[in-house]
Amino acid sequence: MQLVIVESPAKAKTIEKYLGPGYKVLASYGHIRDLPVKDGSVRPDEDFAMDWELYGDKQSRVKAITDAAKEADGLILATDPDREGEAISWHVRELLAKRRALPKNVSRVTFNAITKPAVTSAMKAPRELDQDLIDAYLARRALDYLFGFTLSPVLWRKLPGAKSAGRVQSVALRLIVEREREIETFKAQEYWSVAARMEHDGTPFVARLVKFDGNKLDRLSLGEEGSALAAKAAVEAGTFRVEDVDVRPTRRNPSPPFTTSTLQQEAARKLGFSASHTMRVAQTLYEAGAITYMRTDGVQMDPSAIDAARRAISDRYNGHFLPEKPRHYETKAKNAQEAHEAIRPTDFTRDVYGSGDEARLYNLIWKRALASQMASAAIERTTVTLREGTGKHELRATGQVIKFPGFLAVYEEGRDQKADGDDEDGNLLPMLNKGDCPVKHGVDATQHFTQPPPRYSEASLVKRLEELGIGRPSTYAATLQVLKDRNYVRTEKNRFFAEESGRMLTAFLERFFERYVAYEFTAGMEDELDDVSGGRAAWKQVLAEFWRDFKPKSDEVMEKKPSEVTAELDVFLEDYLFPPRADGHDPRECPKCGAGRLSLRGGRFGAFIACSNYPECKFTRKFAQPGGNGEGGDGEETGLGKDPETGLEVTRRTGRFGPYIQLGEGKDAKRASIPKDVPELDLEWALKLLSLPREVGVHPESGKPITAAIGRYGPYLAHDGKYARLKSTAEVFDTGMNAAVVRLAEAASGAGGRGARTAAEPLKTFGPHPTSGGEIKLMAGRYGPYVTDGTTNATLPRDKQPESLTPAEAIALIDERAAKGPAKGKKKAPAKKAAAPKKAAAKKEPAAKKEPAAKKAPAAKKAPARKKAAAE
C-alpha cells in the first residue's frame, strides 16, 4: 500500500478516487507544526537552531498518518506545488522519521491541477524534496519570528497601545499611513473648465476649450471664476468650424491570465471580495478540480491549455476572434517566480461552475483566461479640433469607436479609481469633416477642485506592494488581515483608513527602525530570500547578516526610557502635529492657558497632546488630530450659556474620546457625551443630556421606577434589571409611561429582547426575493449582520463587509441557507411525537446537527490558514 499525503480532506477524497486501490490518501489539514510562540524558538547563537511544536489540534491527525505510515510500503508527499507545500511535506517526513515510522521509499510529487490526467501523470514523475525551497521556508519563518519576537517586546514597553510589528505587515501599514498624511496635507486648488454643448447631423457632443486668447490651457489655467466667465463669453460669441479631424486606429491587447495578486485585485474591483475571501474561494475551486493552483506569479499557460482555450474560442466565435498564433506572456512583476502556470480553468468547455461566490469567481477566472488567447480589439480614436475665426480660441472633442471587439467581447480589465480629470475616450462623435460648423446649443463654465490621492483599497494596496517587490502574493491576504485584526487600520467602503494606533506605530518605526520599514530594504530582503529558494544563497548566512545589525538596534531602543522615546517622537512628528498657524502664532502655544507649551505625551491608552502646565491646565488633544487651527482640544470649549438652577457655565468640549458637554469646573464638574443624532446642540439640549438618567415613571405592576438613559450601546429603558433599546436620543426624552411599559414587555417576551431586535430598522433593503417574494433585508443581529427574506435568516461570512453586500450575494446566502433544511421549529415537531420510537428520533438527530450555517465557515477558512507560516 502506498500512503499519499495532501493538505486538505477534499483533495484527499478526490485524489484517492483517481488513484484507485493500492493507495491510501490522508490529509494533514495544512501545517502540522510550527515554531512555539515563546522566546527561544529560534536561537541565533546556536547557528539559528529552531524548535518545532505540534499544533494542539493535529495530535489525532498526526497519529492517523503515523499509524498508516507504519503499514505502508512507500510514502508519497503530494502537497501543494509551492514553498509552503514543500515545507509541509518536509515537516511530515521529519516527524515520521522522529517517530520511527518513515517508510523506506519516500518521494515527492506535484501537480498544478486536481484532475485525473494531472494527478496520474505526476505519480509517474516522482522526485526528491527540494532542499532549496525548504531552506527558503526556514529562512522566511525564522526571519519573521526574529523580527516579531524581537521588536514586539520593545513596542510593549516603549509604545503603550502597540500590539505587534511584522516584517511585511509594518511596511504595508506605512503605505496606508503615508497616504493618510498625503490626504491631510493636501491643499485643494480651484480650477474651471469651459465646454460647449454642440450638435452635428442630429448627434450631440461636447467640445472643451483648450486654447483661449492664443494661449494653450492646461487643467489649472482657469483658476478663478472671473477668467472662466470671460472664456465662456468668448466661446459663446465665437463661431467655431472644424479645423482638423485626426482619426487614429489603435489596437488593444488582452491582459494575461490571472496571477495570485491580479486575481485578488480584480475580485476586489469587480466582485467586492477581500483578498482573504478571494483566496478561500479560490482554494475551494482548486480542491474541487475546477481551476489550477491559485498561488502563483506565473502568467503563462500550459501548451495543452492554450490549445483548449483556442478550441473553445473557435467553437464560440467566428474565426476573426482567434489570432493566428497563440499568445505567450511574460511577467513584469518584480521578484516574480514563474515556476507555476497562471490561474486558469482546468476545462475551458465549462463556463459555469458551482454557485454563489464560487460561481462568480470561477466565471471571472474563466473569462480572463479565455480572453487572454483572443484577438486584439480594434479601436478608432478620433480627435476633432474646432477653431474660432480669429484663431485665438480652440475647442477639442475626443471619442473612440470600437471597430472590432476582439477579446472585449468576453472580458475587460477593471481599473482603480482615477485621479482628477474626466475620461472622454468613450464619447460618441458624429461624422465631421474639415470646414463643418456644428450647431452650438450652449456653453458651460464648471467649477472644480483638485482631489487628494485616493485611499488604498485592497486591490490598489496589493498592486502597490507587488510593484515595490514587497512580500509575496500568496501572503498579502494574511498580511492585510493582521492589520485589521490589530486595529491598526479600519475599512470603510472598501478603503483603508489608518487608526491612531497604526499611525503612532508607523511613526515609532520610522524614527527608531527606519531601515527596517524602508521599502528598498524590505524588497531587498525578498530578493535575498528568492536567492535562497533558487539555490543562489545560504539561508543561515542571510539570517546572520540581518541579525548582525537588527539585534543591536533593538537593544539600543530597549534601553531608552519611555519618556525619552516620547520626546524624540515629539520632535520627529513636529511638522505633522504642530503645523504653522494661519495667524502666525506659535503652534505649540497652549490655546487654553496661553502660557504652557504643547507636546506629545504617552498614556496607557496611547499617545495624545497635552499642555506643559498640567495639572493647572488640563488641555488635551487627540494624537491623530493635527494642530494649527486650534480646533478640538479640551481647552477650546464653546460656551453654551448658564444652567438656570446652579448658575454654572455649560460648555461644549472635545476630548480624547470625542465631543462632550461639561457643567462647571474641577472634579465636581458634570459631563455627558454628545450623541451623533443630536440635531443641533444648544443650551436646552445640553441641559437635557446632563440631566440623564430620566425617570419615566413607576411601573404599574412592580411599583419600581422606569428610567431612560444613554449607555455605551446607545439609548435604552431600564426597569428592575431588565432593558429595552430605544431607536434615538429623542426617544430618551419623549417616551411616555405607556410606551415604556410596552417596549419593556416586548423586550422581555423575545428571549432577552428578541422582540425588540426584530423590530429594529434594516441596515439595507434589496427588494423582493425572486422565489419567496419576501423583502430581503440586511439586519444587525446579536451575533453579527445577517440577511433575511422574512422566512430564512442567513449570517454574513466573517470577512464580508455589510456595506459591500450586493443583492445577488444576499439572494445566494438566503438560498444556500434554505437549501440546508427547514427551520428549527419544523425540525423539533417530530421530537414531540416521539418519545416512543427512539430509532426515528435518532435518525432525525444528524439532520438537526447539520442546521447551523456556522459549521461550514471553519472548513472554508482552514485552507488559507494552512499557509500560516507565511503570515506575518
Side-chain angles (χ1 to χ4, degrees):
M1 182 265 293
Q2 298 292 315
L3 175 63
V4 181
I5 303 297
V6 296
E7 289 105 319
S8 80
K11 282 172 66 176
K13 186 177 180 181
T14 304
I15 292 169
E16 191 166 76
K17 180 177 70 177
Y18 290 156
L19 296 177
Y23 291 88
K24 184 178 182 67
V25 185
L26 294 179
S28 68
Y29 286 79
H31 273 282
I32 58 173
R33 59 181 190 172
D34 195 10
L35 296 171
V37 185
K38 62 180 183 181
D39 287 334
S41 295
V42 178
R43 298 183 293 284
D45 295 338
E46 299 176 27
D47 197 26
F48 296 97
M50 302 166 75
D51 292 333
W52 301 99
E53 179 180 75
L54 197 65
Y55 286 124
D57 60 347
K58 295 293 175 70
Q59 298 285 353
S60 60
R61 178 57 35 197
V62 171
K63 184 179 184 304
I65 292 174
T66 304
D67 292 344
K70 289 177 180 177
E71 300 175 4
D73 301 317
L75 174 67
I76 300 173
L77 300 165
T79 49
D80 286 347
D82 61 0
R83 183 181 58 249
E84 291 302 309
E86 207 74 18
I88 293 170
S89 288
W90 175 77
H91 277 300
V92 170
R93 186 189 70 179
E94 294 296 296
L95 197 59
L96 290 177
K98 189 176 179 181
R99 297 188 174 192
R100 298 182 180 179
L102 190 67
K104 186 176 180 181
N105 297 316
V106 179
S107 60
R108 170 85 167 111
V109 300
T110 58
F111 32 82
N112 197 43
I114 305 176
T115 60
K116 189 168 185 178
V119 171
T120 52
S121 124
M123 291 296 173
K124 296 173 185 176
R127 62 168 172 82
E128 297 290 325
L129 282 173
D130 188 326
Q131 191 59 47
D132 290 334
L133 286 180
I134 294 166
D135 288 348
Y137 159 77
L138 295 173
R140 281 181 183 274
R141 194 67 198 93
L143 186 64
D144 291 337
Y145 172 91
L146 291 172
F147 192 100
F149 269 81
T150 305
L151 194 52
S152 293
V154 178
L155 296 176
W156 301 334
R157 291 173 175 81
K158 310 302 175 188
L159 195 69
K163 297 174 182 176
S164 70
R167 184 177 59 86
V168 176
Q169 131 199 350
S170 298
V171 180
L173 177 60
R174 182 184 176 186
L175 282 169
I176 296 170
V177 170
E178 285 187 343
R179 179 57 54 89
E180 199 78 32
R181 293 172 185 163
E182 289 177 46
I183 292 169
E184 288 172 348
T185 57
F186 178 81
K187 302 294 184 187
Q189 285 184 270
E190 179 185 9
Y191 68 98
W192 291 71
S193 63
V194 175
R197 288 175 275 112
M198 311 188 88
E199 183 182 328
H200 186 72
D201 288 344
T203 302
F205 66 98
V206 174
R208 293 188 177 275
L209 182 66
V210 294
K211 188 176 181 180
F212 175 57
D213 274 346
N215 299 314
K216 287 187 176 180
L217 300 180
D218 59 28
R219 191 179 53 159
L220 301 178
S221 293
L222 303 177
E224 42 82 30
E225 186 176 15
S227 59
L229 292 178
K232 176 185 177 184
V235 175
E236 288 174 331
T239 300
F240 288 83
R241 294 183 182 277
V242 175
E243 182 67 26
D244 182 54
V245 179
D246 182 19
V247 180
R248 295 187 180 182
T250 61
R251 301 182 74 79
R252 249 179 88 187
N253 297 321
S255 300
F258 283 129
T259 63
T260 302
S261 66
T262 55
L263 176 63
Q264 291 173 2
Q265 292 169 45
E266 278 290 83
R269 293 185 193 111
K270 294 191 170 180
L271 306 180
F273 290 0
S274 67
S276 56
H277 184 61
T278 298
M279 295 310 290
R280 273 197 295 276
V281 177
Q283 180 81 29
T284 305
L285 291 172
Y286 166 65
E287 291 179 355
I291 63 171
T292 54
Y293 193 54
M294 68 289 162
R295 290 186 177 87
T296 175
D297 292 328
V299 291
Q300 187 55 277
M301 291 198 299
D302 183 82
S304 62
I306 292 176
D307 291 342
R310 287 174 63 84
R311 282 196 302 274
I313 294 165
S314 62
D315 289 345
R316 290 169 182 270
Y317 303 94
N318 65 43
H320 296 294
F321 287 82
L322 187 67
E324 290 184 13
K325 296 180 181 179
R327 293 186 180 275
H328 297 279
Y329 297 93
E330 292 183 5
T331 186
K332 296 178 182 177
K334 191 177 178 183
N335 283 332
Q337 300 173 10
E338 297 185 276
H340 310 303
E341 273 192 88
I343 304 169
R344 63 167 176 85
T346 55
D347 182 359
F348 277 95
T349 63
R350 182 169 57 189
D351 58 354
V352 177
Y353 181 87
S355 61
D357 286 353
E358 286 179 24
R360 298 172 68 203
L361 190 66
Y362 177 83
N363 184 252
L364 197 68
I365 293 168
W366 180 84
K367 284 182 174 178
R368 173 83 166 224
L370 192 73
S372 73
Q373 289 299 320
M374 292 180 71
S376 302
I379 298 171
E380 195 172 80
R381 285 196 171 93
T382 304
T383 302
V384 179
T385 302
L386 301 100
R387 189 171 295 162
E388 182 255 356
T390 65
K392 291 184 176 181
H393 315 308
E394 277 186 14
L395 299 174
R396 181 176 297 158
T398 60
Q400 71 175 25
V401 176
I402 296 176
K403 307 297 284 186
F404 171 66
F407 74 94
L408 293 175
V410 174
Y411 183 86
E412 182 170 11
E413 186 173 17
R415 293 186 290 180
D416 294 316
Q417 182 176 331
K418 291 173 70 71
D420 294 321
D422 296 325
D423 182 8
E424 299 179 337
D425 279 349
N427 293 343
L428 182 65
L429 295 178
M431 183 66 71
L432 290 162
N433 297 301
K434 186 173 181 178
D436 286 344
C437 186
V439 177
K440 185 169 52 185
H441 289 298
V443 182
D444 300 312
T446 309
Q447 184 187 38
H448 308 274
F449 291 93
T450 55
Q451 298 296 312
R455 287 184 171 86
Y456 284 110
S457 63
E458 283 209 5
S460 58
L461 184 58
V462 164
K463 183 178 181 181
R464 185 62 181 141
L465 288 168
E466 188 178 34
E467 288 171 350
L468 292 169
I470 292 169
R472 306 301 305 145
S474 58
T475 69
Y476 291 152
T479 298
L480 301 187
Q481 191 60 47
V482 169
L483 294 179
K484 296 176 191 175
D485 293 343
R486 298 281 189 270
N487 294 321
Y488 291 148
V489 299
R490 72 180 189 278
T491 54
E492 292 180 11
K493 296 181 179 177
N494 293 324
R495 296 280 165 177
F496 284 110
F497 288 73
E499 296 284 22
E500 283 189 38
S501 56
R503 301 182 70 134
M504 193 62 185
L505 172 60
T506 298
F508 176 85
L509 294 174
E510 286 177 322
R511 171 60 186 85
F512 296 105
F513 293 90
E514 182 181 11
R515 179 188 177 196
Y516 301 100
V517 288
Y519 304 133
E520 300 80 7
F521 173 82
T522 310
M525 285 300 304
E526 294 296 340
D527 287 334
E528 292 185 49
L529 292 168
D530 287 342
D531 285 342
V532 172
S533 64
R536 298 180 296 276
W539 70 279
K540 290 184 179 180
Q541 182 180 343
V542 170
L543 290 176
E545 290 174 1
F546 165 80
W547 189 247
R548 184 176 60 240
D549 297 324
F550 182 70
K551 183 63 167 69
K553 183 64 178 176
S554 60
D555 290 343
E556 174 193 327
V557 179
M558 185 66 93
E559 290 173 4
K560 292 180 180 290
K561 296 177 181 177
S563 57
E564 293 175 332
V565 169
T566 304
E568 291 192 44
L569 288 175
D570 180 72
V571 175
F572 180 74
L573 292 168
E574 184 172 26
D575 291 342
Y576 164 66
L577 296 174
F578 309 106
R581 289 175 56 162
D583 58 9
H585 282 76
D586 180 1
R588 283 185 179 264
E589 179 185 293
C590 177
K592 183 174 183 181
C593 69
R597 285 180 60 75
L598 302 181
S599 60
L600 185 67
R601 300 286 179 86
R604 59 182 299 191
F605 300 111
F608 62 98
I609 310 301
C611 177
S612 59
N613 279 345
Y614 180 86
E616 287 77 17
C617 177
K618 296 181 179 178
F619 176 88
T620 60
R621 190 177 77 213
K622 289 183 179 182
F623 161 74
Q625 182 181 317
N629 53 12
E631 295 179 357
D634 279 352
E636 294 287 311
E637 65 260 23
T638 302
L640 298 174
K642 291 188 177 181
D643 177 14
E645 291 186 13
T646 64
L648 295 174
E649 188 74 23
V650 180
T651 55
R652 182 193 189 283
R653 308 185 179 202
T654 302
R656 291 172 55 206
F657 304 106
Y660 66 96
I661 45 179
Q662 180 170 310
L663 174 65
E665 295 289 343
K667 62 180 182 179
D668 296 327
K670 188 170 183 180
R671 299 177 179 87
S673 295
I674 303 173
K676 292 181 179 179
D677 62 347
V678 170
E680 189 172 336
L681 188 71
D682 54 17
L683 180 61
E684 182 184 357
W685 260 107
L687 293 173
K688 287 166 74 173
L689 292 170
L690 288 164
S691 70
L692 294 177
R694 162 185 169 249
E695 184 169 323
V696 179
V698 176
H699 197 285
E701 295 178 7
S702 68
K704 295 182 179 180
I706 300 173
T707 58
I710 300 173
R712 182 178 179 186
Y713 302 107
Y716 67 94
L717 292 168
H719 164 253
D720 195 22
K722 301 292 191 300
Y723 301 90
R725 293 181 187 174
L726 295 173
K727 292 182 179 179
S728 66
T729 301
E731 286 192 354
V732 174
F733 304 101
D734 298 341
T735 301
M737 195 55 205
N738 292 338
V741 171
V742 172
R743 287 284 183 91
L744 288 163
E746 286 177 349
S749 67
R754 183 169 179 163
R757 283 201 303 277
T758 53
E761 290 293 322
L763 302 175
K764 206 173 186 182
T765 57
F766 298 101
H769 189 281
T771 306
S772 70
E775 186 179 20
I776 302 174
K777 300 176 183 177
L778 173 64
M779 308 294 291
R782 183 178 179 186
Y783 302 107
Y786 67 96
V787 286
T788 180
D789 64 349
T791 304
T792 303
N793 297 347
T795 305
L796 265 63
R798 289 184 186 177
D799 63 328
K800 183 65 184 175
Q801 297 298 323
E803 60 269 16
S804 67
L805 187 72
T806 64
E809 289 173 327
I811 293 168
L813 286 169
I814 290 170
D815 290 348
E816 185 179 349
R817 179 65 192 85
K820 291 181 180 177
K824 285 185 179 179
K826 292 182 182 178
K827 288 191 175 183
K828 287 186 179 178
K832 282 185 181 177
K833 280 183 188 180
K838 290 193 177 180
K839 285 188 180 179
K843 282 184 182 177
K844 289 285 180 186
E845 195 173 333
K849 286 188 178 179
K850 197 177 174 185
E851 163 66 23
K855 290 285 183 188
K856 276 208 168 184
K861 290 198 172 195
K862 278 261 186 191
R866 62 202 169 107
K867 302 298 179 189
K868 181 173 180 180
E872 286 295 297

